[in-house]
Amino acid sequence: RERLLADYDRSAAALRAACGTPSALYLYPFAEAGQSPGADPLAEEVNREAVTRHFSLAFIGGSHPFNGPGSDPFSLSRLRVPGDWEPARLLAELAASQPRSRPQEALGSAQDWTFEREAELHAGELHITDHAAAWLRGTDAWSDLEVSARLQPDADATGALYARYAGARSWLRVTLDADGLRVQERIGPRLITLHRHPSGGVPQALRHIRLRLRNNRAWVWLDDKPVAENLPVAPSTARGRVGLGSERGHLTVDAFAARPLPSRWLLANSIRLAPPDTRETLQAVLPNWFRAGTPAALAVTAQQDLLDAARTGIRTLPLVTGGASLTDDDARAWAAAIDAELVRANAKSLTPTLAVEGPATALAAELRNLNYRIAHLLTPAEALARGRALALAAPDETLAIQTGGPEAAAAVDWLIRTLPARRLAVREPDGALAAGLTTLAPVAAGSTQKQDPL
């Protein structure tokens, strides 16, 4: 460790002397940061400690030109451009790597994939050798998804289906080998096994794996039979690439499909208001639990609704109304009261995001100080006037436009020029919708349960 840290110190000093300014970017030689199986167990840890001392970004991979939101800044990928490429080839490569929202119905062609080490698509099959991988292009920002593949690892091989791969230190995968199936999560230096399932005596047969991710829950099927349900996934494993890899040995894949799941929020005071056949499409429910001027108190039924939603992978975003007119002191007191009630009800861990109506800047800031993220519910006029400023106040917070119509469309057109679609939500329209937007669904018409107005 001392030798490596000293090497980095001398390197950074030499570069600073030659350039007249500190270097911001580091490129790992041979794309090796100590993450390969043959490396010393401490190599990755020491390399990362040294690099983060002197640099702001670091590149490991060299076959992929796009780094999606949430990518590890010290585990980025770049594209090596061969000197004999014509401009059209480079532009085509960049275009193929743009974010995608369309599903992939089969293995497709080599243009649909980027390959690391010895992996290739040949005669309708993916062949992946020891420690190689194939990544589906354009999936760097995928979060909620369903992906399936038919795998056949060699007798001594371990094949893996990856999702939410944000770098070598953050991913979820399902592995298959002679011992059976494992669901594993990588969080920084830790590798956590969430579930094990025995092989069933057919380790070398083609096996069909299906993985579904919704919010922080995972479901897994093996040969169309459920083997793991409602597995908890860490919040940090939020989004990333979809791909296939071999931990050791040779892996053959002859079928593949992947699709992002729609992001749909329900404006309702209870998950019970959602018809059962629609819940599979829901990502979140927004119950109006907190109203300025009334005591912050959660009913027992609200707590039960929260648990019922969490068990099915649906987030609860408690809605806070009336906060836009509060003074700074009142906003601080109201935020503290909301936090205290969620802690009392053992609900804070299940409600990391609160939905705040209107451009309630002071209240949002106080809630952030209490470690909540904010989803802002705005009118079209508020979104046009204050949307960009609210979006800049914190990274990755969502702006939701409560009403539809031409004004809402104009607000979306204005905001989407500077914000990714995943940060915008709109009332469900009758016509086409820009890819990647979250939609807001009102409570179903004809419900017999009372729904408080927003």
Side-chain angles (χ1 to χ4, degrees), residues 6 22 34 75 117 131 137 147 207 224-225 274 316 338 374 416:
S75 183
R117 301 183 178 91
H131 305 308
R137 289 180 182 268
V147 56
R207 309 299 298 270
D224 296 323
K225 296 179 181 178
T316 297
I338 292 170
I374 308 300
I416 208 167

Side-chain angles (χ1 to χ4, degrees), residues 198-221:
S199 65
V202 285
Q204 288 184 266
L206 279 166
R207 309 299 298 270
H208 184 256
I209 295 174
R210 180 158 64 102
L211 167 67
R212 181 184 177 90
L213 286 172
R214 174 65 88 181
N215 289 315
N216 64 334
R217 290 291 188 271
W219 293 259
V220 180
W221 292 259

Side-chain angles (χ1 to χ4, degrees), residues 398-432:
T398 300
L399 306 181
I401 302 173
Q402 298 189 56
T403 58
E407 296 84 1
V412 170
D413 182 62
W414 168 248
L415 292 169
I416 208 167
R417 301 181 189 188
T418 54
L419 298 178
R422 62 183 175 80
R423 294 188 62 185
L424 297 175
V426 296
R427 183 67 68 125
E428 291 187 348
D430 295 329

Side-chain angles (χ1 to χ4, degrees), residues 166-186:
R169 298 166 62 87
S170 178
W171 42 255
L172 184 86
R173 74 180 181 187
V174 182
T175 66
L176 188 66
D177 58 22
D179 294 327
L181 176 148
R182 296 186 303 277
V183 183
Q184 297 178 312
E185 188 175 28
R186 179 72 186 266

Side-chain angles (χ1 to χ4, degrees), residues 286-292 317-324 326 334-335 338 342 353-358 360 363-364 367 374-375 377 454:
L286 281 66
N288 190 187
W289 285 353
F290 302 108
R291 304 171 181 84
L317 278 58
L319 178 59
V320 182
T321 57
L326 297 177
W334 182 229
I338 292 170
L342 290 172
T353 301
L354 301 180
V356 175
E357 186 182 47
L363 179 61
L367 291 170
I374 308 300
L377 265 69
L454 291 177

Side-chain angles (χ1 to χ4, degrees), residues 261-287:
L261 297 179
S263 181
R264 192 168 185 247
W265 292 1
L266 179 69
L267 293 166
N269 273 349
S270 172
I271 188 63
R272 289 169 289 151
L273 292 170
D277 60 347
T278 68
R279 294 183 189 182
E280 187 172 305
T281 67
L282 290 180
Q283 188 186 60
V285 60
L286 281 66

